[in-house]
Amino acid sequence: MRTLLWLAAGVILGLIVHLVVILSLPAFATETVWSRVAAAGPEDTVVVLPAIAPGAPNPLQLDPALSYAVCRVNLAHGPGVVSGTLPDTFWSLAIFNRAGSVVYSTTNRDGIGQNLNLGIFNADQTHLLAEQQIEIADGLLIVESPDDDVFVVVRLAAPHDVERPRAVAALAGIVCGNIK
Amino acid sequence: MRFLVHLVLMIAVALVVGFGLSYYSLTDGRLLGALRVGPWAAWPAIGSASPDPYTRAYLARTGALQLGLSEGLAFIASSDGDGQPLDRSCRYRIEGTTPVASFWTLEAVAADGGNIARPDGPQELQSRHVARANDGSLLLYVSRTLAPDNWLEITGQGAFRLILTLYDPTNLSGSAAAVQTLPAIVKEACAA
């Protein structure tokens, strides 16, 4: 009977250990999606991620059917802007924060078409924008981000492998940086 | 002495339960937080701006570039419809229909996440390149041995996982968590 009581205490302690592990894991992770993207290239520069070779490790778990472009922007230097023209095939866009969560995502099926023209504003900049204190281009898709450190991922699905070089060229042609 | 034995026993149970449960719940999310459709499992909150603690821990553990909420959702299967682990020496038939999406891809990966398709062949099956039956349903084969219709040729030995990624699932009201049906995974013959 006594032993059962000790075992029950062990199970309860185990559940506490479990909760601590789950809640503290993000703080202890060293190989995060942010560190991997930061290693891919400098800030304000579009980096097309290399294609996934069969059998090769795929730490970011990229889909081999897609081509990826990433760009890191720091909103502390001004609102972020990402613009380019992409082929008329499926593409999508996601804004990640430093913690690796997706702050905003959309696809070209949401009425954007082929022109990517995105402005990323933090809370203060959104406020200035509302007061018309920041000049922006017409047709800019405005997204508010709660964090200053963000990176943008553009995924493009070339319909056939032969069109992949064109897709990569289109991704490499994306311009990303800050509105001064 | 008896107290010491009990104390050691309690700590052992606590460690096994604590770390075992954490490992199991984060391996493919079958325990908590996950969306399960037959053998397929997904983390429905993985693309949201503030995921739940389990999803956040899973993301921290994998360090993967997940899909945003409106981009799509990836489903992972590590066993067939009967609950048997997927084995590369067997041939699997994948049949049924997929939810409406702009397109989808089906990839076979090893435990470390590396693609296991034949190096000089297609690395995945995708909706735009597969032949369908007249009613729009799918018939896909994943195997090392020659298969008819849509065949994803894989290589190597041991267990593997299938990843079905639905891009832009348009029929879903804002979230991919409304997926009801996914194709079945049926084991056919296995090599000796």
Side-chain angles (χ1 to χ4, degrees):
Chain A
M1 187 61 208
R2 239 229 160 100
T3 311
L4 274 180
L5 220 61
W6 279 94
L7 286 178
V11 170
I12 292 169
L13 203 63
L15 291 176
I16 296 171
V17 169
H18 169 67
L19 288 181
V20 170
V21 167
I22 293 295
L23 293 175
S24 62
L25 204 63
F28 285 114
T30 48
E31 282 273 305
T32 62
V33 67
W34 178 269
S35 69
R36 284 173 177 160
V37 168
E43 215 169 77
D44 295 343
T45 308
V46 171
V47 182
V48 178
L49 299 180
I52 302 301
N58 184 2
L60 288 171
Q61 294 182 16
L62 307 179
D63 190 329
L66 271 59
S67 302
Y68 293 77
V70 296
C71 175
R72 233 163 7 108
V73 192
N74 188 346
L75 304 185
H77 305 152
V81 61
V82 180
S83 56
T85 305
L86 295 170
D88 193 15
T89 175
F90 177 80
W91 56 265
S92 69
L93 175 146
I95 303 173
F96 286 72
N97 62 14
R98 190 180 261 276
S101 302
V102 180
V103 181
Y104 173 82
S105 61
T106 189
T107 71
N108 66 328
R109 308 292 154 120
D110 283 352
I112 309 175
Q114 289 171 253
N115 291 315
L116 168 63
N117 204 2
L118 174 83
I120 312 165
F121 296 77
N122 65 20
D124 292 345
Q125 290 155 358
T126 311
H127 200 73
L128 289 174
L129 191 68
E131 292 174 352
Q132 300 189 330
Q133 306 242 13
I134 301 179
E135 293 262 338
I136 55 159
D138 280 346
L140 191 71
L141 175 69
I142 293 158
V143 174
E144 186 179 341
S145 162
D147 310 290
D148 275 353
D149 278 329
V150 294
F151 68 88
V152 177
V153 177
V154 181
R155 298 162 214 258
L156 182 76
H160 296 277
D161 278 350
V162 290
E163 290 172 55
R164 222 166 230 271
R166 205 165 74 92
V168 168
L171 286 176
I174 294 174
V175 179
C176 136
N178 297 105
I179 301 174
K180 300 292 180 194
Chain B
M1 187 59 203
R2 208 185 155 104
F3 171 76
L4 211 63
V5 170
H6 278 145
L7 193 69
V8 169
L9 196 69
M10 184 187 81
I11 291 173
V13 168
L15 291 180
V16 168
V17 170
F19 286 98
L21 201 60
S22 306
Y23 177 80
Y24 182 71
S25 59
L26 295 184
T27 299
D28 60 358
R30 273 157 199 279
L31 200 60
L32 290 151
L35 171 67
R36 293 186 64 179
V37 183
W40 304 95
W43 295 83
I46 202 163
S48 76
S50 50
D52 59 85
Y54 280 96
T55 307
R56 210 172 7 234
Y58 172 77
L59 278 175
R61 189 164 170 267
T62 56
L65 205 60
Q66 79 275 26
L67 282 165
L69 216 49
S70 53
E71 292 183 288
L73 192 62
F75 287 85
I76 300 174
S78 49
S79 61
D80 62 19
D82 294 330
Q84 299 294 318
L86 297 178
D87 187 332
R88 287 187 230 179
S89 59
C90 298
R91 183 165 87 173
Y92 293 95
R93 188 174 79 236
I94 295 162
E95 58 184 358
T97 53
T98 54
V100 177
S102 280
F103 81 112
W104 53 256
T105 62
L106 180 78
E107 190 193 359
V109 297
D112 65 357
N115 189 299
I116 56 166
R118 181 168 59 97
D120 52 349
Q123 288 193 63
E124 77 291 302
L125 291 174
Q126 54 169 293
S127 55
R128 293 184 288 206
H129 300 171
V130 298
R132 292 164 196 270
N134 283 339
D135 62 356
S137 64
L138 291 168
L139 187 55
L140 317 172
Y141 289 95
V142 178
S143 63
R144 286 192 318 215
T145 51
L146 183 68
D149 296 315
N150 306 295
W151 176 35
L152 180 63
E153 185 180 354
I154 56 173
T155 56
Q157 300 282 341
F160 72 103
R161 285 179 295 158
L162 288 169
I163 304 177
L164 177 68
T165 312
L166 305 173
Y167 289 95
D168 189 21
T170 46
N171 64 328
L172 311 166
S173 49
S175 141
V179 170
Q180 295 292 324
T181 56
L182 287 172
I185 306 173
V186 183
K187 178 154 75 179
E188 293 195 339
C190 292

